Amino acid sequence: MKTVIIRNEADIYQILENYLKDDKYFSNRKIKVKSLPKLELKLEGEEFHSSITPTIMKAFIELQSGLNRAYAVAKHGEANANRLTQEEKKELEFVVRVEKGSSLFSLDFTAGFTKLLEQGMSQMNGTQMTVTLISMAAMWFGSSAFKNYLDYRKERRTAEAKKTQDIELIQQLKFVSKQETKRARILAQVAAKEPLVQSVKELSDESKAEAVKCLAQAEQIYLDNDTKLTGEQAEELAKNARKKPIEARMDGIYRILAVDSSLPDEFKVTIQAKGSGIKFTAVVQEDSFEQKYKKILQQNEWAKSPLFLQVNAVKRISDDSVIHATITKAENLPDEEED
């Protein structure tokens, strides 16, 4: 078995690009992590002399919260950090290092990521987890993903802003080079290929939106030594960065609480997840559902017995509530699993 070593951000994107060219890339390879990239932020202002304010601390907390929820999506199919074990939360904690005598902050996740990647590669869906975890490392700790997010916000705000002075404030900002553009394309292609990666990307963008809003407290912000913006510019980029819903798989064991077939062209059920207890209404996907599955749903409502459901959902990031859900498969459980 070949060993592929991650030493820096370039290695991460090379691995992702190789996977795009070969679906079986990870089947005969072991990924070894020597070092992950460290996201570096330097802040200037009266309050930033070997110190950190509560507002800036909140920026790092938002990034940590987003990382936890992204891993929960990858592991459990929902952006609910409460699903994580204490051990998993500990492994997901990144270290914020402050350089002595300065306001340079670096985010280090090498140790925790190494353990999580080893666990992910050994799972039945090892390839999917491996791709998702490596993509997460690029999104949270690589400077390219942060620069691409800032560039995206610049384009959006330039299009949205109504005041000339707001547009002039940000239109001269330059965040991306040809390298960043190529890396953005690689991540976008991986996200298109792996729905889990798309879900965690949306969470990554959400956490960056909150972080940029907090970082605007500084007078000057430096990213990776070659990207600079003022706090005023950061504040402008953070405007209207709305929280978008995310797509998530919520496969699991459910009980049917109610069946609604009152509309001729729609069949809905209210379901409750075993374990978490979450309740929501889901639509049965008519074009891929055989009549026998609808009968299974009705029978399980009458019998009050659990069953396995494959569920595609759209969820709010803010509170993890289900906006819309579609059931694409239903199966009765073996007798020994019904208790």
Side-chain angles (χ1 to χ4, degrees), residues 293-325:
Y293 292 122
K294 290 184 180 179
K295 290 179 179 178
I296 290 174
L297 293 169
Q298 290 173 322
Q299 290 168 355
N300 279 270
E301 182 206 9
W302 299 331
K304 304 297 181 185
S305 55
L307 74 166
F308 171 81
L309 297 178
Q310 184 172 292
V311 182
N312 295 335
V314 177
K315 309 178 75 174
R316 289 187 183 89
I317 288 180
S318 58
D319 60 4
D320 208 37
S321 60
V322 177
I323 300 172
H324 177 77

Side-chain angles (χ1 to χ4, degrees), residues 117-131:
L117 184 63
E118 289 174 355
Q119 295 168 11
M121 293 183 71
S122 65
Q123 294 179 7
M124 288 184 64
N125 60 339
T127 293
Q128 187 181 48
M129 279 295 293
T130 300
V131 173

Side-chain angles (χ1 to χ4, degrees), residues 82-277:
N82 292 329
R83 295 289 303 276
L84 303 178
T85 66
Q86 288 303 312
E87 183 179 355
E88 287 171 334
K89 290 178 181 179
K90 183 178 179 180
E91 301 297 352
L92 284 163
E93 282 189 353
F94 55 76
V95 178
V96 181
R97 304 189 187 280
V98 186
E99 188 172 304
K100 187 176 181 180
S102 77
S103 55
L104 176 63
F105 303 92
S106 64
L107 278 58
D108 187 351
F109 186 50
T110 299
F113 177 79
T114 301
K115 292 182 181 179
L116 292 173
L117 184 63
E118 289 174 355
Q119 295 168 11
M121 293 183 71
S122 65
Q123 294 179 7
M124 288 184 64
N125 60 339
T127 293
Q128 187 181 48
M129 279 295 293
T130 300
V131 173
T132 303
L133 287 168
I134 291 174
S135 298
M136 285 168 59
M139 292 173 194
W140 263 268
F141 304 99
S143 61
S144 292
F146 211 115
K147 292 174 184 176
N148 278 306
Y149 173 76
L150 292 174
D151 190 65
Y152 160 74
R153 288 305 306 157
K154 185 193 82 169
E155 298 301 324
R156 288 296 301 270
R157 284 304 299 151
T158 301
E160 294 169 351
K162 297 179 180 179
K163 296 180 181 179
T164 302
Q165 60 265 36
D166 291 341
I167 297 174
E168 291 176 347
L169 181 64
I170 61 174
Q171 66 180 358
Q172 300 304 319
L173 290 171
K174 181 174 175 59
F175 296 115
V176 297
S177 63
K178 288 184 179 179
Q179 176 178 264
E180 269 81 42
T181 301
K182 179 183 178 182
R183 289 176 174 178
R185 184 167 60 250
I186 291 172
L187 268 184
Q189 291 173 339
V190 173
K193 188 173 182 177
E194 294 287 351
L196 267 182
V197 175
Q198 179 60 37
S199 294
V200 300
K201 182 183 183 303
E202 290 165 356
L203 286 164
S204 174
D205 287 351
E206 175 65 23
S207 62
K208 289 186 181 73
E210 297 300 321
V212 171
K213 191 185 302 182
C214 297
L215 293 172
Q217 184 189 46
E219 292 178 12
Q220 301 283 346
I221 305 162
Y222 297 85
L223 173 62
D224 202 28
N225 294 321
D226 61 1
T227 301
K228 173 185 174 182
L229 68 159
T230 66
E232 188 180 9
Q233 289 169 328
E235 184 177 8
E236 181 62 32
L237 294 175
K239 288 180 180 177
N240 296 333
R242 296 185 179 91
K243 298 180 178 181
K244 299 186 297 182
I246 64 168
E247 295 182 359
R249 285 286 293 272
M250 296 182 65
D251 303 356
I253 298 174
Y254 291 85
R255 290 188 183 276
I256 310 300
L257 303 181
V259 172
D260 181 0
S261 56
S262 57
L263 297 177
D265 58 348
E266 188 175 70
F267 187 84
K268 296 190 296 185
V269 291
T270 301
I271 58 180
Q272 181 175 27
K274 184 179 180 181
S276 68

Side-chain angles (χ1 to χ4, degrees), residues 70-85:
Y71 186 75
V73 167
K75 186 77 178 290
H76 302 289
E78 58 178 307
N80 182 0
N82 292 329
R83 295 289 303 276
L84 303 178
T85 66

